[in-house]
Amino acid sequence: MKMKTLYLHIGTPKTATSSIQKFLAENWDVLQKHGYFFPESTHIYPRVNARRNAHFLSGRVRNGEGIRDKEKEKTYLEEGLQQVRDAFQNYDNVILTDESIWYCLCYLKKSLLCDLKKEADKQGYQIKVIVYLRRQDKFLLSRWNQRVKQKSTSDAVLSCDEYFELTQKKEKDIYQYGKILDGIAEVIGKENLIVRRFDVESWRDGSIIHDFMHEIGIDVTPEFHELEKNANLSLDKNTTEIKRILNQEESFTMKEISYMGKFLKKISENYIQKDHTEMLAKEELQQFLELYVKENERVAEEYI
């Protein structure tokens, strides 16, 4: 008898997670026919897409005064876990996804996976973690692009050079793939950790969505509705810099900046595929990447 399985997709950030989440949401009914359930988020978190249905595992909740409400966080967590328990009454497979979990395992809530494993053992299901990894230099640049595009943190006004310097000082852990994967494997077992390259040449059918679905045990057939385009397209180099400058202008409201951001995103669609330049010098990126060469080789051998 096949054991019930919770598939936990943890990103990493900027590895087409939004597209995967959108595909799962749009094919909710088809998934159920095949014994897979993609729960809807029970609560709305500021600046968090509702399709990130695993956010209850790590999301912070604040009251009207902006003060963290830990009791409500516990309530949201229990409600989310109960939703998973209920789903397993009717389905063999449940899918949860949230790219912020990768960050949480590094800094904010390192016990997250241990706590979830205890819940899984108690309820009688297994956990399989799915993660896509992109080369660290590409990861760094895409994170800066996303920060500028969303203007969700103070980093949104930093130049690429400034962000490059800051992230090496304060966020080294998120680039240490081997260390994080080792920690995950220690909790759920290496056999339950699915690690894939964020590289179109390694994906099934050249599609990350087809690749993801295959890894959870179901191939994409004509009954599934395919996405028309990337759900979270990055800005190209020029429009990213324009957006960063707009972020610094205090006279603009958030609504106005958001509107201009959407306009810049539309412009980017025509240029991003043709743009092969980078915001940092090749020598800088190579030097940064060399910090992780040996560890990346080990990750490739042990996990990929």
Side-chain angles (χ1 to χ4, degrees):
M1 182 179 177
K2 182 181 177 182
M3 191 172 189
K4 292 182 181 292
T5 303
L6 172 66
Y7 289 99
L8 181 62
H9 173 225
I10 64 172
T12 53
K14 297 304 295 177
T15 54
T17 52
S18 295
S19 292
I20 291 172
Q21 291 157 2
K22 185 176 181 182
F23 177 85
L24 294 170
E26 291 188 358
N27 288 280
W28 188 75
D29 53 341
V30 183
L31 287 168
Q32 291 183 68
K33 292 180 184 178
H34 292 272
Y36 291 76
F37 190 70
F38 183 63
E40 296 181 356
S41 296
T42 53
H43 296 282
I44 301 298
Y45 296 84
R47 298 182 180 273
V48 176
N49 192 301
R51 292 189 289 265
R52 288 167 55 180
N53 64 355
H55 201 65
F56 69 88
L57 293 171
S58 60
R60 293 193 172 185
V61 180
R62 300 186 184 279
N63 61 24
E65 288 74 44
I67 300 173
R68 187 178 176 188
D69 190 335
K70 293 185 178 182
E71 287 304 313
K72 188 166 285 187
E73 286 176 10
K74 292 179 182 178
T75 299
Y76 286 10
L77 174 62
E78 177 55 31
E79 290 176 357
L81 292 175
Q82 186 58 51
Q83 189 180 33
V84 172
R85 296 175 198 133
D86 294 341
F88 276 127
Q89 297 298 314
N90 300 303
Y91 302 93
D92 291 332
N93 307 283
V94 176
I95 308 169
L96 295 180
T97 171
D98 182 18
E99 58 269 31
S100 69
I101 291 177
W102 179 265
Y103 190 88
C104 285
L105 293 176
C106 298
Y107 302 109
L108 302 178
K109 196 175 180 182
K110 295 184 178 182
S111 65
L112 182 156
L113 205 55
C114 292
D115 295 340
L116 186 59
K117 181 63 166 57
K118 292 177 182 178
E119 165 73 11
D121 291 341
K122 182 178 179 181
Q123 299 299 325
Y125 60 83
Q126 65 178 341
I127 301 171
K128 287 186 178 291
V129 170
I130 307 172
V131 58
Y132 282 83
L133 300 176
R134 69 189 306 166
R135 220 172 63 186
Q136 281 91 344
D137 56 335
K138 301 291 185 182
F139 183 28
L140 182 150
L141 291 170
S142 63
R143 289 187 79 234
W144 172 74
N145 184 288
Q146 184 75 1
R147 298 291 177 89
V148 172
K149 185 176 71 171
Q150 290 187 332
K151 198 190 176 184
S152 56
T153 68
S154 58
D155 299 348
V157 299
L158 298 180
S159 68
C160 194
D161 288 316
E162 291 170 333
Y163 181 75
F164 179 63
E165 183 178 349
L166 178 67
T167 192
Q168 291 186 84
K169 290 180 179 179
K170 294 187 175 182
E171 298 185 324
K172 287 184 177 181
D173 288 358
I174 63 170
Y175 303 105
Q176 296 175 352
Y177 296 164
K179 179 181 178 181
I180 303 170
L181 295 176
D182 290 343
I184 296 172
E186 185 178 350
V187 176
I188 66 170
K190 188 178 291 187
E191 70 280 3
N192 292 317
L193 176 54
I194 302 169
V195 183
R196 301 288 293 155
R197 288 186 176 92
F198 187 70
D199 177 13
V200 65
E201 294 184 0
S202 67
W203 299 337
R204 188 175 183 85
D205 303 327
S207 164
I208 192 169
I209 291 174
H210 286 213
D211 194 77
F212 174 85
M213 295 297 289
H214 179 75
E215 292 300 325
I216 68 172
I218 177 172
D219 289 331
V220 177
T221 59
E223 65 182 321
F224 284 92
H225 173 68
E226 297 270 19
L227 296 186
E228 294 183 3
K229 60 181 180 179
N230 189 322
N232 188 21
L233 187 68
S234 298
L235 298 178
D236 74 85
K237 308 302 182 301
N238 289 331
T239 51
T240 301
E241 189 62 13
I242 293 172
K243 180 61 166 57
R244 185 183 72 82
I245 295 171
L246 290 174
N247 290 345
Q248 301 177 55
E249 182 52 63
E250 297 181 358
S251 63
F252 290 132
T253 65
M254 285 298 296
K255 186 176 181 180
E256 288 171 332
I257 291 178
S258 178
Y259 174 80
M260 288 183 281
K262 290 178 181 178
F263 179 71
L264 292 172
K265 183 177 179 181
K266 188 174 182 179
I267 295 175
S268 291
E269 294 178 6
N270 298 322
Y271 294 99
I272 196 165
Q273 298 302 327
K274 305 173 186 177
D275 187 4
H276 300 294
T277 61
E278 297 294 358
M279 296 296 289
L280 295 172
K282 182 178 179 180
E283 293 75 19
E284 287 181 292
L285 293 174
Q286 185 60 40
Q287 186 177 15
F288 172 70
L289 191 58
E290 285 176 358
L291 298 173
Y292 307 101
V293 169
K294 290 185 178 180
E295 189 70 352
N296 287 349
E297 291 174 351
R298 182 178 73 84
V299 167
E301 182 177 345
E302 292 188 21
Y303 293 104
I304 301 178

